[in-house]
Structure formats: structure tokens, C-alpha cells
Amino acid sequence: MNPVRRQQAVAAWVLALPFMALFLVFTAGPVLASLGMSFTDLRSTDIRTPFAVEFVGLDNYTQLLADPVFRKVTVNTLFYLLLGVPLTMAVALTVAVALNHLQRAKGFFRVGFYLPVVTSIVAVSVVWKFLLRDEGGLVNTVIAWFGVDGPGWLDSTTTALPSLVVMSVWRNFGTLMVIFLAALQTVPRELLEAAESDGASAWSRFRHVTLPLLRPTLLFGAVITSIGYLQFFEEAFVMTKGGPLNSTRSVTFFTFDQWGFGNYSLGAAAAYLLFLAIVLLTWLQFRLLRDKD
Amino acid sequence: MSQTLDPATAAGTTSAAEPEHVPQRRPKSREGNLRTPGWLYGVMAAGLVLVVIPFVWMVISSFKSEGEVMAVPPTWWPENPTLSNYEQLFSRLDFPTYFANSAIVAGTVAAGNMVFCAMLGYALAKLDFPGKRLVFGLVLGTLMVPGVVTFIPLFVLTVNIGLANSLTGMILPFLAGPFGVFLMRQFILSLPDELIQAARVDGAGELRIFFSVILPLCWPALATLGVLTFLAQWNNFLWPLVIASDEDKYTLPVALALFAIGQNSTKYGLLLAGSVVVVVPVLLVFLALQRRIMEGIAMTGIK
């Protein structure tokens, strides 16, 4: 290595070192440790001797698969995903397309719709818990004007989870909206005008010109939204405590519970299964959406 | 949902300019569909009202008496506006401490990320060194790992190095955020190489170049990263909840959540006032800096 390149390499490593040291200890290390831990029997009583615990092979995983609560939280997490992702994407895309048509006050609306994203999930969960209550909740008061008698949205096993999803869509669509809006700006105007002069309707211009050009962005949006919904936790923790009857408990919530019970290895195994699910789903989404081209 | 849906996560991946950079008023040469129909403004305004109602209602209701908060049917405007919720809240809970804890944690994490991410970002963007591809791959690869995967090992580690129940324990795991590296690298890539070569010709050392040539040019990206990290940490919940066991180590969201799901859950007036205390400061910060934040996301997303 010549002196100039050596000097550069030394400087680069000096600059990289603080970040990499923190990163290896607090991010990369724990990711691996989590995998290792999931094959052991580490409990809160062993917290001072994490390397001395017994290796139990796949016991934690078989225990998880046999656990009715874990099955329930897995099904719930799938519901969060299947309800939340399409809803969030649809709302975000609709608002972004509408925003893109505005000539004035675009910035005002964009900031307004983005507001929920920057707020504390805990604080807005408290507010939503109140909006959704049975007697005197704002939602039920409003639908009563139309003669509908609303339930206690968070008190029933059938409505609690969808209610949390609606609240989550409210909080999160703004992020995707900004991304979609940025992508919409890149759709060449000439293409839309050409389609228009060929007599294409507004819908068919959107369907056949805009949408195909947005595909990479939509794919990216679907991936990050899915990752988010697979980790659903805070809303359920504050608004329903996972109930009623575990109907809103998620896999992340389950890991949190295991930490509370002192079953560290079982919690790590659940977290790792979630991780695998995320990797698998991301890979699937890339495949499915790419193959169409 | 957790922090994954950070607006910024998206920045690097969209190859698009933000609205701010596009002429707002388009030429109106062709009449028809590409012009804004008036009803669209009406629909958007109605949508915006729906989105903002929970905030407005939260603020208004926090000034109602406990009896009125629970009234059926609910009142919109407080009949007898009162500050009693805030008075009770501040006498029951040690808000100045939580506020200070939140500010210290979020501020330190934001500052640390700005410095460390800029350093590594520069190395990855402009310097040639053995292991570069490995470092970049490793950092980028962890962008997708959900927080809960590291949660239990991180807890064991934090306890064993004696940082449980401390603000340091809340801060350290977030100081090296992969996203910041990605953002800074993207930004620094756009700076001209000639700057660096000119400084080298002038005899400046590699580190000197970073600190006196590159870093001052990074302010727009650093500001964006700082604000986004601050907001994310201010609202961070799971980790502070797990690490803080004494009340004087709580951050605002933790204090509010434990208050909300604990014995006091019937005191809705107090909870709403607490929500205002947690949310309103960040909303104001966001509104004050929104142009800069949106521009920052756009700027780093163009590449």
C-alpha cells in the first residue's frame, strides 16, 4: 500500500471506530446473541451468568409451537399485517395522489396529514382509548347521529384489534404519503398528457401510466409497512393491555411478557421467529412484485 | 407500531425530488384534468379535520373537569374551563424530572448520532479502506432487524455492565444508528471530490479534511438527522420502559403509560392533560422545523 492510501485507510478506520465499536456491542452482537440465547435455558435468575447456561437445542421453539398463547399472538400478528398494510397503503396513496393534484396549499396539507407521525404513540393511544369508549366516546357519539349504536370498540374480542389497526393507520399513513408524493413528482408530465390526448380517462391514466411507474416505491412502502405491523406493540400495550382475552396481543407483546416472566430464552426464540418471518415476507414481496415485470 | 416507520428510513430509497423543488404552479396551457378542481380542496380539508380532531379534542378536554370529561353525551367545549387537571398532574407526578430525562436522552442520542454517523458516513463515501464493503454491508443489513430481536440480550448486557436503571443505559444502544450512517453517506457522496483533493494538495491531513472541510458542509444533513433522531427518541417507549425501574429515571412516555395503565386509569382528565404535556412540545418543534425536515428528507433522497 502506498503512503497516501495507507494514510487514508488509517484515517477511515479512526473515523469508523467509535460507531463500529458501539454498533458491534449494542446492535450486531445482540442480534447474534439472541439467536444463541434461543437455544439455551436462560432465565432471569441466570442474568449474571449468561454464558454458563444449559444448551437445550430446539426446546424453546417446540415449546412455542405448542403454546396456545403463542399461536394466538401469531394469528393476531397476521391479522395486524393483513388489515393494516393494505389499509395504510391505500390511505397513503389516495391522499398522496390528491395532494399531488393541488396547486395551492400543498405544503400546508402535507404537514397537516403528517402531524400524527411525530407524536408520542403512548400519548395518542390514551386519547384514542377515550375516543373509542362505549358511553360518551366521540366515535360512538358521531355514529349515533346516523342511528348506529356503537359498541365499546376496545372491549370486544371482535372489534378491539381492528380498532387498533384504524388508529395505527391514522398515526402512520403520513410517512408513506410523503414517500409516495415524492415518487409521484417524478412521473413525467408528457406521458400523462400523451395518454390524455389519446383519450385515456383519469382513472386509466392513473392505472396504466402512474401506477406502473410507482411500483418500486409501492414495493418499498409495502416492505416497511409490513415490518412495522409485524412488530405491533405500543398501541396494544397502552390501549388494551393485550386483551380482551389476548385478542390484541402480538408477537412483540409476547416477547415483552416473557421478559416480565423471566423466561429470557423463550422470549428470544419468539423474537427470532418474528425476525425470520420478516425476512421471509420481505423476500416474498420482492419476488412477487418483481416477477410481474 | 414501532420506529421502523420512520419517515427518514425512506429517504435514501426513493429516487425522487420533493414537492418543494418542483414548481408549485404548473403551466395551465392545457385546460382540464391536470388542474385542481375546487371540490378537491373541500375533500382534503374534511380529511385534514378528521386527522387533526384527536389532537384538538385532547387539548380542549384537558381543560374540562373530571365530571365533564366523562359526561354522556360528551361536550365539545368545556363548560367551566379549569386548570385542575394540570395542577393535579404536576403535583402527583414529577414532570420536571421526566421532562429533563426525556430531553437528556433524546438530546444525547441525537448529538451522538450526528457526530458518529457523519464520521463513518464520510469514510464510506469518500475514503478507500480495507473492510469498507464489509462495514457497509453489516450496517445496512441491520436496518431491517426489528428492535425486539435485540431486546432481551441487550437487557442482559445492560444489567451486567451495571447500566440498568440509568439514563446511560437508555442512551448507549441508540448512539450507533444504522440509518444515520446511510443518510450521511448519501449526502457526503454528493459533495465534490475536488474539495478533498484540493485540501490534500494544500497539505491537510485526512482527519483535518473531515473536521474543517467536510463537516461544516454537512450542516443541512446533520440538522435533518438530529431532528429526526430527537423526535424518534423523545417518543421511544419499549426500551426506556424496560430499563427504568425507579421513578426518577422515567421518561415522559414511560411515566404517562404507567400512569395510564395503572390504578389511576379512571382519571381521564389527568391522562389527557398528561398527553398534552408529552405531545404538544414535539408538535411545536415539528411545526417550527417542518420545512427544514421535509427539505432534508428530499435532499438526501435525490441521489
Side-chain angles (χ1 to χ4, degrees), chain B residues 134-152:
Chain B
L134 180 71
V135 167
F136 189 54
L138 208 61
V139 172
L140 214 61
T142 49
L143 264 176
M144 287 236 305
V145 178
V148 71
V149 169
T150 57
F151 154 66
I152 288 177

Side-chain angles (χ1 to χ4, degrees), chain A residues 34 47 101 110 114 130 179 235, chain B residues 1 7 10 18 36 57 149:
Chain A
S34 198
I47 194 165
H101 276 282
R110 191 185 47 178
Y114 191 76
F130 209 65
I179 298 168
E235 291 93 333
Chain B
M1 265 163 59
E18 263 287 284
T36 312
W57 189 82
V149 169

